[in-house]
Amino acid sequence: MRQRTAGQLGPLPEFLQAGSEDVVPVVTPAGDKMWLVRDYALGRAVLTDKRFSRASAVLPAAPKFNDAQPTPNSMMSMDGSRHTQLRRIVSGAFSTGRIAAMRPFVAELADRHLDAMAAHGPGADFVEHLAAPLPLAVLCSLLGIPAEDGSRFRDWVEVLFDISASSPREKARRRVELADYMTDLVNRKRQRPEDDLLTTLIGLHDQGELTMSELLTLGLTLLMAGYETTAGQLSLSLLSLLSDPDAHRELVARPERTAAVVEELLRISPATPLAFPRVAVQPVELGGVTVQAGEAVLVALVHGNRDGKVFAEPESLALTGHDAVHLTFGHGVHRCLGAPLARLQVCLVLERLLHRFPALRLAAVDAPVVWKDGLATRGLSLLRVDW
């Protein structure tokens, strides 16, 4: 197996650096105690064990990670049959056939943004030219949100994902603005239906399958989760690739390997460092500790992906891949619905980017890379490149 050194993991919050045991106690940004699971197998077990509840984790008395967690009526905050029903409602939008049908649109969008980057010239910011606008445009198209409103959504979403830099009052104000906008958009689409996911959800509401609250929350959940994580994943994947000259050269020479290499980039540089918290509904033995009923557990996807018991030379980028599946998209019933769409975007962007700029490299400036600070997801706010 050929392996290379992967790119920098980047800055991690202090609580994610605590201890080295499989299960360690940590204090969250909200000041509450939780158990952090760093082990791959234990993490997968937590994500599939019904004794660890997502619904219990959003109750008022539950330990809090931060103030940006999904609301109780979000699909990501549910257990049981209602979660299954809501997931089934939107899963068709992310079927293999639907994602394949989106490929020409995403490719054309990537080429258009690459044209703008080329026009800017060397020293262009990959985040501003591609990583941020492309996934936002893709999601706006999927949901049926007017393209001209994309920049407003980007501002709203980045504040709501922020876990430290913006105040609770600012987040509350942005949530109200976003909810008001979506309510108005739903009303407009009811009068003028279109071929998009939001129009489909409106039809299901009118048939009694969705409440209005669930409709709005589903739309916002898909937009927010899909945008911030994919934007982060695009920039992190490129940074890791540019930090590994051998992998970079091989991918330029053999673009048919892109999908396999992308899986390793997803493993080694995940935009999502943690799964949402779960709360134990009864005492559970977990990795040598007892998680008491009412205590919360966080699965560190970023650590599970680098578990040396599962992945050989886990800090390295294995160009031939691994047998084990990474945890970047989660595991179990809450596994990310949008994983196929995220994969498509990362693969297409890297393919077209390296075809257009085979000599792509970090820009020769003092600080070509700036990491985002204070977000629940990982990513870059700046990635300057030359070619």
Side-chain angles (χ1 to χ4, degrees):
M1 180 181 293
R2 296 182 60 198
Q3 294 169 320
R4 305 288 183 235
T5 302
Q8 293 286 330
L9 184 58
L12 292 175
E14 186 176 347
F15 71 89
L16 265 179
Q17 302 175 45
S20 58
E21 299 86 357
D22 290 343
V23 183
V24 297
V26 296
V27 176
T28 70
D32 290 346
K33 175 191 169 183
M34 292 189 181
W35 293 101
L36 181 72
V37 180
R38 301 164 54 95
D39 177 84
Y40 178 91
L42 291 176
R44 282 169 60 98
V46 168
L47 298 177
T48 55
D49 191 332
K50 293 181 179 179
R51 295 174 296 175
F52 293 106
S53 166
R54 273 294 300 138
S56 296
V58 298
L59 295 176
K64 296 292 184 289
F65 175 70
N66 60 33
D67 60 357
Q69 296 301 294
T71 59
N73 67 342
S74 167
M75 180 172 62
M76 295 189 292
S77 301
M78 295 179 178
D79 301 321
S81 60
R82 190 54 181 158
H83 167 263
T84 302
Q85 291 165 355
L86 291 177
R87 190 175 174 94
R88 186 179 299 122
I89 283 172
V90 297
S91 62
F94 300 98
S95 68
T96 302
R98 283 287 185 90
I99 299 305
M102 291 189 70
R103 187 178 181 89
F105 166 72
V106 177
E108 189 275 332
L109 195 62
D111 288 340
R112 192 190 318 156
H113 286 298
L114 284 169
D115 288 342
M117 195 169 99
H120 178 283
D125 177 11
F126 174 76
V127 174
E128 189 61 31
H129 281 93
L130 265 164
L134 185 136
L136 190 58
V138 169
L139 286 164
C140 284
S141 175
L142 180 71
L143 285 163
I145 294 168
E148 60 270 20
D149 292 341
S151 61
R152 297 171 66 190
F153 271 99
R154 182 177 174 184
D155 292 341
W156 280 327
V157 170
E158 290 192 351
V159 169
L160 293 176
F161 267 83
D162 187 329
I163 63 175
S164 65
S166 61
S167 67
R169 178 177 294 182
E170 176 68 4
K171 285 188 176 64
R173 183 175 72 82
R174 296 302 180 99
R175 285 192 189 100
V176 170
E177 291 176 356
L178 192 49
D180 287 347
Y181 172 87
M182 287 296 288
T183 301
D184 178 65
L185 183 60
V186 165
N187 290 334
R188 283 186 279 141
K189 283 191 173 291
R190 178 168 278 114
Q191 296 172 6
R192 295 183 178 180
E194 299 179 270
D195 183 18
D196 55 54
L197 182 54
L198 199 53
T199 299
T200 299
L201 296 179
I202 292 168
L204 292 170
H205 165 264
D206 294 345
Q207 296 166 24
E209 294 189 41
L210 283 175
T211 67
M212 181 55 71
S213 176
E214 288 173 336
L215 188 163
L216 293 172
T217 301
L218 269 175
L220 291 174
T221 297
L222 292 169
L223 177 68
M224 291 174 63
Y227 163 63
E228 188 65 41
T229 54
T230 306
Q233 195 61 64
L234 283 166
S235 60
L236 292 173
S237 295
L238 181 59
L239 177 61
S240 286
L241 190 63
L242 296 182
S243 301
D244 185 335
D246 289 332
H248 182 196
R249 280 193 293 270
E250 180 147 342
L251 206 52
V252 169
R254 301 179 62 187
E256 69 276 8
R257 297 284 306 277
T258 301
V261 172
V262 163
E263 289 308 302
E264 268 294 273
L265 293 170
L266 288 166
R267 179 188 71 83
I268 207 78
S269 299
T272 306
L274 296 163
F276 284 119
R278 269 78 171 161
V279 165
V281 297
Q282 66 185 70
V284 181
E285 295 295 323
L286 186 68
V289 305
T290 300
V291 180
Q292 300 294 341
E295 292 185 332
V297 172
L298 282 168
V299 176
L301 309 176
V302 68
H303 292 315
N305 280 353
R306 294 182 179 225
D307 186 341
K309 300 185 294 295
V310 178
F311 301 102
E313 299 189 39
E315 306 297 323
S316 298
L317 187 65
L319 299 184
T320 54
H322 288 96
D323 292 334
V325 178
H326 60 72
L327 296 177
T328 296
F329 294 120
H331 183 61
V333 297
H334 282 282
R335 189 175 186 278
C336 177
L337 262 175
L341 184 56
R343 281 190 171 99
L344 174 69
Q345 292 176 79
V346 177
C347 285
L348 276 176
V349 166
L350 289 183
E351 281 178 2
R352 297 178 115 69
L353 181 68
L354 296 181
H355 176 74
R356 187 83 167 263
F357 308 112
L360 196 73
R361 58 194 179 278
L362 291 179
V365 296
D366 289 342
V369 176
V370 177
W371 289 81
K372 283 188 175 180
D373 182 38
L375 291 189
T377 55
R378 299 172 64 244
L380 306 177
S381 58
L382 181 73
L383 177 57
R384 293 202 180 279
V385 291
D386 289 337
W387 52 87

